[in-house]
Amino acid sequence: MTESRSAEDGQTSVRDEFVDAAYRLIDAQGPDPSMDDIAREANTSKPRLYRYFADKDDLYRAVAQRMADDIFRRIRPDFNFVLSSPETTLGETIRAFTDVVAEHPGVFRFLARGRSQYGGEGTGFPLDIGRDVARKMVSIAEAVLKSVEVETSGMELAIYAAVGAMLASADYWLESTPAGDPLDKDNFVVVVTPLIWGIIDSHLKRLGVVIDADQPIFVSLAKIREG
């Protein structure tokens, strides 16, 4: 068991090194690296790269997972969503997302292009990031609503739609910013946060749930409990 876990950890470490190399290369040269390029950046051979990744889609998924993990590491560990308003909670997540995308715009573009270029699901957006973000948001939203015995039917679909809008907005944001100009992160958060909340809020209202975007979530929950 110990040897098996050690081997698994070793494989994860090597995969991480290749993801590090992909990040460095994409940041330096743009979102179209070949597997040969990534192997060279990692100071190894392409056959060794393929011992750890089945194909470019496999590497794509690992890069997407790294970016999703980075987003959630940026959210303050002391952040309490129940004590915050919905827009503040969303703003915290979108700010973390925006910071990571702004630091690695080439990586986001690589993910946005990846599935359409390399097989996979043929989509124009980095859905592997979106799925991870959406799953976490769904988990939080359903836990909150179930705590006051509110029906959660369709919530997952609404949140996936909201996250898709965020990804599409980020794709447009990068493409519409002239090369060499700084990315206006503050404006992205200010504009996109209420749009994302609007998608979720419209679904809540269909369920008969009214949550004030500007009040702490626990205040709205108390009102729902009171009936």
Side-chain angles (χ1 to χ4, degrees):
M1 177 68 74
T2 301
E3 290 182 3
S4 175
R5 176 56 61 88
S6 177
E8 182 179 323
D9 290 345
Q11 182 174 16
T12 299
S13 176
V14 175
R15 281 173 64 93
D16 285 343
E17 289 174 11
F18 280 120
V19 172
D20 290 341
Y23 258 71
R24 290 194 304 271
L25 187 65
I26 294 167
D27 281 340
Q29 299 183 17
D32 299 306
S34 68
M35 296 295 265
D36 283 314
D37 293 334
I38 293 169
R40 279 193 294 271
E41 178 64 28
N43 295 314
T44 190
S45 65
K46 187 175 177 181
R48 184 167 185 264
L49 173 58
Y50 276 115
R51 286 207 296 272
Y52 293 92
F53 295 94
D55 50 29
K56 198 160 189 174
D57 272 355
D58 191 16
L59 177 62
Y60 170 101
R61 287 188 291 271
V63 171
Q65 186 63 57
R66 168 74 62 82
M67 183 163 271
D69 290 344
D70 286 346
I71 290 167
F72 283 97
R73 273 195 291 269
R74 295 298 181 93
I75 298 174
R76 291 179 289 120
D78 62 342
F79 184 75
N80 190 324
F81 68 90
V82 176
L83 299 179
S84 303
S85 69
E87 286 203 357
T88 299
T89 299
L90 280 175
E92 181 84 6
T93 303
I94 293 171
R95 166 62 69 179
F97 168 78
T98 304
D99 285 344
V100 170
V101 170
E103 283 183 13
H104 302 286
V107 176
F108 185 87
R109 290 187 176 103
F110 166 76
L111 295 173
R113 298 177 185 181
R115 291 304 176 94
S116 59
Q117 286 188 335
Y118 309 123
E121 299 174 2
T123 179
F125 298 114
L127 290 184
D128 283 320
I129 303 174
R131 287 192 185 97
D132 197 61
V133 173
R135 286 189 190 108
K136 288 181 171 64
M137 290 177 65
V138 167
S139 177
I140 292 170
E142 290 187 342
V144 168
L145 294 177
K146 287 177 180 177
S147 73
V148 288
E149 299 182 350
V150 168
E151 171 62 46
T152 62
S153 175
M155 198 68 219
E156 185 172 2
L157 179 58
I159 288 176
Y160 270 75
V163 171
M166 183 178 71
L167 297 176
S169 298
D171 187 60
Y172 172 78
W173 176 50
L174 293 180
E175 293 302 321
S176 63
T177 300
D181 284 6
L183 291 165
D184 191 342
K185 296 188 293 183
D186 291 338
N187 185 63
F188 183 88
V189 174
V190 167
V191 171
V192 172
T193 298
L195 295 177
I196 300 305
W197 170 243
I199 294 172
I200 297 170
D201 185 45
S202 66
H203 178 68
L204 289 172
K205 287 176 177 173
R206 287 184 64 250
L207 297 176
V209 178
V210 177
I211 294 181
D212 192 324
D214 300 318
Q215 286 189 329
I217 292 173
F218 80 87
V219 174
S220 295
L221 295 180
K223 291 178 179 178
I224 292 170
R225 286 193 186 99
E226 291 170 1

